[in-house]
Amino acid sequence: MTKLHAWWNGRWAVPLVSGALILASFVVGRAPVPRPMGDVLMVAAAVVAGTPIVTTAARALRARVVGIDLLVAIAAIGAVVIGQYWEAAAVTFLFAIGHTLESATLNKTRSALAELVAVAPDVAVVMRDGAQVEVPAASVATGATVLVKNGAKVPVDGEVLAGTGALDEASITGESIPVEKSTGDRVFAGTVSQGGFLQVRATGVGAETTLAQIIHRVEDAQDAKARTAQFIDRFSAWYTPAILLLALVAGLVSGDVVLALTLLVIGCPGALVISIPVSVVAGIGRAAKDGVLIKGGEFLERSATITAVAVDKTGTLTTGRPHLTDVVVLAPAMDRAEVLSWAAAAEAGSEHPLARPILAAAITEGLRPPPLPEDTEPVPGKGITATTAGRRVLIGNLALLEQYDIADTVGAAAIADDLAAAGRTAMIVAVDDAVIGVVAVADEVRDDAAEMVHRLHASGVTTVVMLTGDSPLVAQVVGKATGVDQVAAGLLPEDKLEAVADLQRQGYVVAMVGDGVNDAPALATADIGVAMGAAGSAVAVETADIALMGDNLLRLPEAIGLARRTVRTMRQNISIALLTVALLLVGVLLGGMTMSIGMLVHEASVLIVIANAMRLMRRSRHLSTAALLPSRPRRAAGAPTMAGRS
């Protein structure tokens, strides 16, 4: 009994039973039995297929919604009343089978969400009292040590404590190339070990993992309505009652009840209603598979109109990992190691990002780790001054030397200008009252930065603007290397906001690309805010309109291209739906259009619309090529490097 109940509540039960009754009616009609028996079976088929339709229509009416089901219900009941049993059975059967196919194909367009859910790990192996214990993944506590063996799924977000291995992170970033992991690296739940052995300290478990946040966001996004879908909903709220009124008037004027019922059937705006949601679900699903998280249909639709992209420099066009490039010795009595040692000693007490590459270079070159300075004082916009080993060390620009009345007798300013012109951030080093040298650091331009700008232009973006707090000289070098259209340098966060607003005043639809936190004002002001490399960042996933989960810059033009394809598909589907209704109306006016034929054509248009939208689930050839490029940037031979103390 339980199995029968489950089967009856399945997707195909109603169409199958209704179809069997229609077939039985035809068989009985050719057998030597009384004719009413065939009519009874045909009415039974209409009742089986029509009951869910009438129930849905009644519920909608109670909620004061006049929908498609009401049109079909009235037409079917009217057909039974006037003795058109075949028409009633055919209309309800075709509507039921169309609804079933629609449900099945809509579920298929949500396959990206299903795949994300499928990769969620069920179990974890944790260390407890020195022993390996297998527990449900959801029960792992934050801070626990989790073991990830070859072939296993990572059950938590965390940090590698020990071991090495390669993880397939396609479920998070969309990248198919495994990523090498070692001590200190971050790992994400749902990724799969392709080799090695890792000990991981859990930092995010259960609903706190990046995978769980992505699943939640994709689920919400696929249910969110695009602006066009909201318009279609409002349109349908007026259109359906209008069809009811038209059918009533046509029936009263012509005295032809069949004509009125036929108008109800062919006026069903099913293909129109489904045209937008199925496109949005397919588009967002495709994006999710590619590691692009789009917050909802509205943002997907708006992204198709982007004409200008504003891009933050550090960490977006560049790797965001500056390194030491030059040590220029200007004091005759010193060598490279001594100049670097004094610079590192001053920076040892600094929290500025450019202190790290100087300290790292000193360690790499085998210099003794500098002691912490007795005193460190940052000088905003100029550099720092520190006291170490009883001596005052300055590291910064020419303005810092002038503030402390130190004469540039060795041409350090000219050298710093030459280095800046080459795209490097130069810092003059002085000990007590004498300049001893110049050190310079630089960031690497990503290999795919120029290709991203090229593809943005190819996708229809007319203007790409780089916004940075770096110096104009450094910014110009980056701009030239990447091919951006405009460069705005020396900007504070509020200046970036104003730059985005200025683009909007010029008539551009602006997307701002940043890290989702530091560029928050500009991201909020832009028409579309895009967070780069958002994997593991709850803030970015929640606040950005679009989050590029990996570090692959080419995902941005891919996302814009997908948005444009999705909107084109929406328009195609709307055209198909309206053309179908128009042709059916012409068929009624010319005669020969029955209710059953009208419903058959109507359901066919619904399936055509769904099939058209499902094309979005395929990765285009252009995107497939992009996916083959490395997601982790490496500097090619001769590629420029640049950075800035911004």
Side-chain angles (χ1 to χ4, degrees):
M1 192 68 181
T2 303
K3 290 183 178 180
L4 180 63
H5 183 267
W7 180 84
W8 179 251
N9 288 308
R11 183 178 292 157
W12 287 98
V14 169
L16 286 174
V17 172
S18 178
L21 289 170
I22 291 174
L23 184 61
S25 175
F26 282 127
V27 171
V28 168
R30 288 174 172 74
V33 296
R35 178 177 175 79
M37 182 60 68
D39 292 342
V40 168
L41 290 172
M42 198 66 78
V43 171
V47 169
V48 169
T51 298
I53 301 170
V54 173
T55 302
T56 303
R59 289 174 181 167
L61 276 177
R62 283 198 295 270
R64 298 182 179 180
V65 175
V66 179
I68 301 171
D69 297 88
L70 182 62
L71 299 182
V72 178
I74 294 174
I77 293 171
V80 171
V81 170
I82 64 174
Q84 298 283 339
Y85 305 130
W86 154 244
E87 297 290 350
V91 165
T92 53
F93 169 70
L94 288 171
F95 189 82
I97 200 168
H99 178 74
T100 299
L101 289 171
E102 176 184 318
S103 174
T105 48
L106 267 174
N107 284 341
K108 185 171 179 61
T109 61
R110 292 182 180 270
S111 60
L113 182 59
E115 289 175 13
L116 284 172
V117 173
V119 301
D122 297 319
V123 297
V125 177
V126 300
M127 293 298 297
R128 290 181 179 173
D129 299 325
Q132 299 183 24
V133 181
E134 187 173 286
V135 299
S139 68
V140 177
T142 301
T145 299
V146 178
L147 305 183
V148 180
K149 302 176 182 180
N150 183 24
K153 290 180 183 178
V154 179
V156 296
D157 282 5
E159 180 181 337
V160 178
L161 294 175
T164 59
L167 296 183
D168 179 355
E169 296 186 337
S171 59
I172 302 296
T173 65
E175 301 295 341
S176 57
I177 302 174
V179 180
E180 294 293 332
K181 299 291 183 179
S182 59
T183 303
D185 288 338
R186 299 188 66 183
V187 299
F188 305 108
T191 56
V192 181
S193 173
Q194 300 294 302
F197 176 71
L198 299 173
Q199 297 181 46
V200 176
R201 180 176 64 85
T203 58
V205 298
E208 299 173 356
T209 65
T210 299
L211 178 63
Q213 293 166 16
I214 293 174
I215 291 173
H216 172 68
R217 180 52 67 196
V218 172
E219 188 175 36
D220 288 348
Q222 290 189 331
D223 290 334
K225 292 182 180 293
R227 289 180 179 179
T228 305
Q230 295 170 6
F231 168 77
I232 294 296
D233 286 346
R234 292 193 298 270
F235 173 78
S236 298
W238 289 96
Y239 174 85
T240 306
I243 289 294
L244 282 169
L245 182 61
L246 174 64
L248 178 62
V249 171
L252 292 175
V253 171
S254 66
D256 188 345
V257 177
V258 175
L259 173 64
L261 297 177
T262 303
L263 282 173
L264 288 179
V265 170
I266 68 169
C268 289
L272 187 64
V273 171
I274 199 68
S275 61
I276 307 303
V278 70
S279 301
V280 169
V281 167
I284 289 176
R286 176 69 263 172
K289 285 185 176 182
D290 294 334
V292 179
L293 195 56
I294 301 177
K295 196 172 182 179
E298 178 183 353
F299 303 107
L300 179 66
E301 191 172 4
R302 192 185 302 166
S303 297
T305 64
I306 291 171
T307 54
V309 174
V311 187
D312 180 48
K313 178 183 74 68
T314 305
T316 304
L317 293 178
T318 64
T319 63
R321 294 185 293 273
H323 63 283
L324 184 74
T325 58
D326 299 89
V327 177
V328 181
V329 181
L330 297 177
M334 292 193 180
D335 58 17
R336 173 190 169 92
E338 288 179 287
V339 172
L340 182 56
S341 293
W342 282 113
E347 295 285 14
S350 172
E351 295 181 353
H352 196 281
L354 295 187
R356 289 192 291 271
I358 294 175
L359 293 169
I363 294 172
T364 300
E365 296 187 18
L367 302 180
R368 188 172 59 186
L372 291 177
E374 293 94 61
D375 178 63
T376 300
E377 181 182 350
V379 184
K382 298 179 182 179
I384 64 169
T385 175
T387 302
T388 179
R391 304 181 72 176
R392 186 183 68 186
V393 182
L394 276 65
I395 179 168
N397 54 26
L398 184 62
L400 181 66
L401 299 186
E402 293 172 347
Q403 179 175 325
Y404 284 88
D405 297 322
I406 298 176
D408 177 15
T409 59
V410 290
I415 294 172
D417 288 342
D418 290 341
L419 290 169
R424 299 165 188 173
T425 297
M427 293 164 280
I428 302 170
V429 183
V431 178
D432 294 331
D433 293 328
V435 174
I436 64 170
V438 179
V439 296
V441 298
D443 199 354
E444 295 179 350
V445 172
R446 292 175 183 263
D447 285 345
D448 50 2
E451 179 65 16
M452 178 202 71
V453 174
H454 170 73
R455 292 194 184 186
L456 285 174
H457 286 143
S459 69
V461 175
T462 59
T463 302
V464 181
V465 182
M466 184 180 74
L467 307 179
T468 178
D470 214 336
S471 68
L473 282 174
V474 173
Q476 289 296 335
V477 173
V478 179
K480 185 177 180 180
T482 56
V484 298
D485 302 295
Q486 299 175 25
V487 174
L491 304 181
L492 298 173
E494 55 268 29
D495 298 325
K496 292 182 180 181
L497 183 155
E498 181 56 32
V500 169
D502 184 58
L503 286 170
Q504 292 172 323
R505 284 192 292 268
Q506 295 176 45
Y508 290 103
V509 178
V510 184
M512 172 67 194
V513 187
D515 61 10
V517 180
N518 295 336
D519 298 310
L523 287 167
T525 301
D527 298 284
I528 293 291
V530 183
M532 258 303 288
S537 170
V539 173
V541 171
E542 290 299 320
T543 60
D545 302 324
I546 297 177
L548 309 181
M549 302 310 295
D551 253 356
N552 190 340
L553 282 175
L554 300 182
R555 295 299 186 200
L556 179 58
E558 286 179 19
I560 294 175
L562 177 62
R564 298 198 199 285
R565 287 171 54 211
T566 302
V567 169
R568 282 199 301 271
T569 301
M570 289 181 186
R571 291 170 179 166
Q572 291 167 0
N573 285 348
I574 291 172
S575 299
I576 291 169
L578 295 177
L579 181 61
T580 300
V581 172
L583 290 175
L584 288 173
L585 284 172
V586 171
V588 171
L589 294 175
L590 296 178
M593 180 63 67
T594 64
M595 278 188 287
S596 55
I597 293 175
M599 181 55 69
L600 181 62
V601 174
H602 162 73
E603 293 301 336
S605 70
V606 170
L607 295 180
I608 290 172
V609 160
I610 292 175
N612 187 43
M614 288 184 68
R615 292 187 304 115
L616 293 168
M617 295 298 293
R618 298 200 307 264
R619 175 184 282 273
S620 73
R621 183 175 58 185
H622 177 73
L623 301 190
S624 297
T625 302
L628 296 176
L629 296 176
S631 61
R632 293 201 165 203
R634 299 187 302 270
R635 187 166 66 91
T641 61
M642 53 282 308
R645 198 160 193 149
S646 53

